[in-house]
Amino acid sequence: MKTIYVLWERQLKRYYRSKVRMIASLAQPLLFLVAFGFGFGPIYNKASGGNYIDFLVPGIIAMSVLFSSTFMGIEVIWDRQFGFLKETLVAPVSRFKIMLGRTLGGATVATFQGLIVLLLSMIIGFRPKSIESVILSIFFMALIAIIFTALGTAIASQLEDMHAFQLIINFLIMPLFFLSGALFPLQGVPKFITVLSSINPLSYGVDALRGAMTGNLHFGLIFDAVVLSGVAVLFLSIGAYFFSKIEA
Amino acid sequence: MEKESKNHIISVTNLTKKFKDNTAVDDVSFFVERGKIFGFLGPNGAGKSTTIKMLTTLLSPTSGEIMMDGKNPQVHADDVRKIFGIVFQDQSLDEELTAYENMELHGVLYRVPKELREERIKKLLTLVELYDRKKDFVKTFSGGMKRRLEIARGLLHHPKILFLDEPTIGLDPQTRNHIWDHIKELNKTEGVTVFFTTHYMEEAEKVADQICIIDHGKIISKGTPKDLMKQTKTESLEDAFIKLTGRDIREEHATAMDSLRNSRKMFRGHK
Ligand SMILES: Nc1ncnc2c1ncn2[C@@H]1O[C@H](COP(=O)(O)OP(=O)(O)OP(=O)(O)O)[C@@H](O)[C@H]1O
Ligand SMILES: [Mg+2]
């Protein structure tokens, strides 16, 4: 337990000590929030009668968690280049625990990023239903974060090159984001988008966050929670498998 | 071929490692006796670090067999990781953490109990003269200071086998002596088997009980430092080493090193 804890703590320290990273990773969600919120807002409001900010904010929070957690994988490549990875790879601790500690640390950081985006969006007028709904949202942010940190870690375990990692991740997360219902509702979209978004784990995350914060649901909260937990276990196992195969 | 024995804490049989067309370790067999200080010497690119990586579960052999205290690192990696400690040849610190945090993290990973951990961290950081810099980030350290910290960290837990891959590279003579004194002490009092590499022959001559010389991936000689000097009719281990491995810096070394650097560049990016 203690070993998982120290590796978790290490990720937090590294994040906390890198203020630039902290701020830079907030820029993108903010940009989306402002551009889409004020750009599409009026059209959406006229078309559906709902408030677009209410619709958009949970999606942008999911996005910010998705981006920061997937990019956590770069820490593995970073550690490999700085040589620290070997130190953990020869330690008398199962690779699964090492991977779990790192992943939970990265996921905590990503969840925290999502929470900051939530606070920022409250400045532009977003109001979650209640305190309980915020707590429930944090739970779902954490699930999303675990899934995608594990995914990023799995991919990074296979690569030595940071640029390759960045390319692959960009290629991967854009479709995940656009086909998740974060920006537009999944009702009444063409069939192939419905199909693609239903196999996209992030869709359930977006749905759960939106449900928790505003009460609007597409799939259902319990269903979302079950799907997300299942995917989290699956991705953690895959990540742990690839991580255990790393050679130095 | 050596017979296996309970007394051999490491035994390696017909070990081979190929990187694409380059055979880094070529059908190597040797053993290390329990409780001894074992020097693994050879010119640059001879295959020392590659052998150590295979012994320490970081690389899988192309063929051959390794037994570490009776266990095969490929099959029982977790068990093998419990019995050794290592100071790597190249850097392995977390530069975003302080010196103390690096020590602490290692101590927890190796399950050194809290009180003992604090006591040893203090003692070891003092030994390598970093105790007053313990709260500084490693990224602010000089090369030699980082090396000293890595050694201190490697000595924090007391394993059955301690691997030291060119531990004293870039260190001043005083520090080298302090560190070797400490390692010999550890070997004597706790029976820790030490497996080290170095390019300082006088160092190897002073501390090693047994020596194995590897060149181009093949073992070319083994014995005590005295044996090797007798074999080659030389006065010092350095002379023996040069006689055994040849005086010239051979061209293959340069090309091997270049290809390593180039392959590094390839990993870095396709920009
Ligand atoms: N990851 C790798 N990929 C390809 N070739 C490698 C790799 N690691 C080592 N080699 C090659 O294996 C050979 C042995 O390298 P190794 O690092 O074991 O030498 P060494 O004896 O430790 O040398 P040194 O004294 O310079 O540290 C070299 O030819 C090197 O180029
Ligand atoms: Mg080496």
Side-chain angles (χ1 to χ4, degrees):
Chain A
M1 261 344 254
K2 177 96 189 182
T3 52
I4 297 176
Y5 171 78
V6 287
L7 291 165
W8 173 83
E9 188 190 29
R10 168 174 177 262
Q11 293 308 132
L12 296 205
K13 278 183 185 158
R14 288 173 66 89
Y15 170 71
Y16 170 76
R17 286 172 186 170
S18 165
K19 304 277 186 296
V20 179
R21 211 173 98 190
M22 213 188 278
I23 292 163
S25 51
L26 289 173
Q28 195 167 23
L30 270 186
L31 180 72
F32 270 76
L33 204 54
V34 172
F36 280 92
F38 293 110
F40 280 150
I43 307 171
Y44 179 94
N45 298 352
K46 225 178 269 162
S48 74
N51 180 350
Y52 188 55
I53 291 292
D54 279 354
F55 180 83
L56 180 67
V57 166
I60 297 299
I61 292 173
M63 174 190 99
S64 121
V65 176
L66 167 73
F67 285 19
S68 31
S69 54
T70 329
F71 269 106
M72 280 307 158
I74 209 149
E75 291 271 312
V76 175
I77 296 178
W78 204 252
D79 280 347
R80 189 198 287 265
Q81 295 210 338
F82 273 84
F84 180 77
L85 191 66
K86 308 191 278 295
E87 155 79 359
T88 57
L89 293 182
V90 296
V93 178
S94 74
R95 295 255 176 115
F96 175 69
K97 281 190 187 166
I98 290 176
M99 186 271 180
L100 194 63
R102 301 183 66 108
T103 304
L104 293 181
T108 306
V109 168
T111 305
F112 184 70
Q113 294 271 24
L115 205 58
I116 297 179
V117 175
L118 173 60
L119 293 179
L120 291 174
S121 63
M122 289 173 73
I123 298 173
I124 64 162
F126 178 74
R127 291 289 172 270
K129 271 193 314 190
S130 60
I131 291 290
E132 294 81 51
S133 81
V134 172
I135 293 168
L136 193 58
S137 316
I138 295 175
F139 168 73
F140 282 109
M141 284 184 224
L143 271 180
I144 301 172
I146 290 172
I147 290 174
F148 291 104
T149 311
L151 178 68
T153 304
I155 295 171
S157 305
Q158 299 300 297
L159 299 171
E160 311 204 9
D161 177 353
M162 274 192 217
H163 305 296
F165 178 78
Q166 265 155 348
L167 280 173
I168 292 174
I169 293 302
N170 275 325
F171 185 73
L172 196 73
I173 58 182
M174 282 308 170
L176 283 174
F177 172 51
F178 287 124
L179 295 172
S180 67
L183 296 176
F184 50 83
L186 292 174
Q187 280 96 343
V189 291
K191 182 84 177 145
F192 79 99
I193 295 190
T194 313
V195 172
L196 287 176
S197 57
S198 68
I199 54 169
N200 175 2
L202 189 65
S203 307
Y204 302 91
V206 169
D207 189 51
L209 286 181
R210 195 170 283 144
M213 287 182 204
T214 67
N216 291 320
L217 276 163
H218 182 71
F219 299 113
L221 267 192
I222 304 282
F223 186 69
D224 291 333
V226 171
V227 172
L228 290 171
S229 310
V231 176
V233 170
L234 178 69
F235 280 23
L236 277 175
S237 319
I238 296 173
Y241 173 78
F242 283 123
F243 194 79
S244 74
K245 294 284 169 236
I246 298 181
E247 293 205 329
Chain B
M1 206 174 80
E2 287 84 12
K3 264 239 163 122
E4 273 215 24
S5 144
K6 271 237 160 70
N7 228 7
H8 298 168
I9 192 161
I10 302 176
S11 73
V12 170
T13 328
N14 305 114
L15 185 65
T16 298
K17 178 70 192 181
K18 290 193 174 120
F19 294 107
K20 299 202 182 96
D21 50 349
N22 175 13
T23 307
V25 176
D26 192 358
D27 197 21
V28 157
S29 301
F30 66 89
F31 60 86
V32 177
E33 279 176 62
R34 195 178 294 274
K36 290 282 162 67
I37 300 184
F38 179 86
F40 197 48
L41 309 179
N44 290 136
K48 304 181 294 293
S49 299
T50 305
T51 305
I52 291 181
K53 281 180 187 163
M54 289 189 279
L55 296 175
T56 56
T57 75
L58 282 174
L59 264 186
S60 47
T62 308
S63 64
E65 195 181 313
I66 300 169
M67 281 295 169
M68 297 271 291
D69 201 18
K71 295 183 189 85
N72 182 337
Q74 270 196 289
V75 186
H76 302 288
D78 280 341
D79 292 332
V80 170
R81 286 182 194 129
K82 289 196 180 97
I83 62 176
F84 71 83
I86 180 167
V87 174
F88 296 100
Q89 178 176 358
D90 44 359
Q91 54 177 346
S92 62
L93 296 165
D94 185 344
E95 309 226 333
E96 303 292 325
L97 297 182
T98 65
Y100 198 91
E101 284 170 340
N102 268 285
M103 296 291 283
E104 174 86 5
L105 183 58
H106 182 92
V108 173
L109 287 181
Y110 284 82
R111 296 193 180 86
V112 182
K114 190 165 193 294
E115 264 167 44
L116 184 62
R117 189 163 77 221
E118 282 166 3
E119 180 195 314
R120 279 198 194 149
I121 292 178
K122 182 163 183 204
K123 187 171 153 211
L124 287 164
L125 285 181
T126 310
L127 174 80
V128 298
E129 289 167 44
L130 284 175
Y131 192 66
D132 51 341
R133 299 288 304 267
K134 64 179 191 286
K135 287 189 176 145
D136 291 354
F137 286 114
V138 172
K139 62 185 167 195
T140 67
F141 283 8
S142 76
M145 288 161 72
K146 286 181 194 166
R147 195 59 186 154
R148 277 160 24 199
L149 180 59
E150 283 175 332
I151 294 174
R153 186 181 67 177
L155 299 172
L156 185 53
H157 72 293
H158 294 172
K160 282 190 184 171
I161 311 172
L162 181 60
F163 288 93
L164 303 164
D165 198 352
E166 298 189 35
T168 52
I169 192 166
L171 296 184
D172 55 54
Q174 299 91 312
T175 315
R176 261 194 266 162
N177 287 338
H178 285 161
I179 288 170
W180 275 117
D181 286 344
H182 185 89
I183 294 169
K184 279 192 281 190
E185 181 73 19
L186 208 60
N187 167 259
K188 211 178 286 157
T189 56
E190 309 214 9
V192 174
T193 305
V194 179
F195 185 117
F196 75 98
T197 77
T198 183
H199 291 295
Y200 302 110
M201 291 303 141
E202 70 294 348
E203 197 171 89
E205 184 174 339
K206 247 190 285 177
V207 301
D209 299 316
Q210 284 289 325
I211 282 178
C212 202
I213 297 183
I214 181 171
D215 195 8
H216 298 297
K218 287 190 192 306
I219 304 278
I220 54 170
S221 202
K222 24 189 162 181
T224 63
K226 282 220 177 72
D227 290 341
L228 296 180
M229 289 184 259
K230 220 186 272 165
Q231 245 178 62
T232 52
K233 304 195 180 64
T234 47
E235 294 295 305
S236 69
L237 186 62
E238 178 151 353
D239 291 340
F241 179 83
I242 290 173
K243 207 159 181 182
L244 285 164
T245 58
R247 190 173 287 274
D248 50 332
I249 299 175
R250 276 148 306 183
E251 215 175 317
E252 301 98 277
H253 291 154
T255 48
M257 297 267 282
D258 281 348
S259 74
L260 186 63
R261 275 195 207 111
N262 287 335
S263 69
R264 264 259 172 108
K265 250 178 237 151
M266 260 169 45
F267 291 142
R268 284 274 153 70
H270 316 273
K271 273 174 89 175

